[in-house]
């Protein structure tokens, strides 16, 4: 299923478990492109501060950058729901729902 994100268990050097998601290549490319653009926006904002650009103009750029980050988060959340969460629920792992609630709370803090 190309649109899903697969999760596999792994272990760190100290023996604790972690998870990995596997995004389809086109999704990774899209996310990387978006994040590169955001990285450029951040550098631009830094330059605006250094050049004493009018505060309102800097705030406008910050708002645009936050919106771009929110778009990345939405893409990741959708993939997480359709892939990781569905897969774990089908395996009987209902703890994923508590994890999802915490994740959504983190996103809503913004």
């Amino acid at each position: 299923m190309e649109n899903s994100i697969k999760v596999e268990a792994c272990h760190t050097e100290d023996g604790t478990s972690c998870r990995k998601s596997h995004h389809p290549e086109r999704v990774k490319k899209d996310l990387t492109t978006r994040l590169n653009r955001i990285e450029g926006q951040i550098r631009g904002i830094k330059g605006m501060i250094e050049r004493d650009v009018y505060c309102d103009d800097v705030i406008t750029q910050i708002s645009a950058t936050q919106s771009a980050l929110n778009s990345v988060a939405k893409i990741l959340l959708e993939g997480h729901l359709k892939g990781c969460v569905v897969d774990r629920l089908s395996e009987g792992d209902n703890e994923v729902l508590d994890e999802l609630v915490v994740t959504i709370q983190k996103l809503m803090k913004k």
Side-chain angles (χ1 to χ4, degrees), residues 48-110:
M48 292 172 81
I49 299 290
E50 291 168 348
R51 293 188 315 274
D52 296 320
V53 171
Y54 187 60
C55 298
D56 188 58
D57 296 334
V58 176
I59 291 168
T60 298
Q61 289 304 310
I62 290 171
S63 177
T65 303
Q66 287 172 329
S67 178
L69 276 171
N70 287 340
S71 292
V72 169
K74 288 177 193 174
I75 292 167
L76 287 169
L77 182 59
E78 179 182 357
H80 184 58
L81 286 168
K82 290 180 177 179
C84 304
V85 174
V86 168
D87 289 348
R88 287 178 61 189
L89 284 173
S90 69
E91 294 168 359
D93 183 359
N94 291 332
E95 289 181 18
V96 71
L97 296 175
D98 293 329
E99 178 186 286
L100 180 60
V101 168
V102 170
T103 298
I104 291 171
Q105 288 172 340
K106 288 175 185 175
L107 284 173
M108 292 179 76
K109 280 185 186 179
K110 298 171 172 109

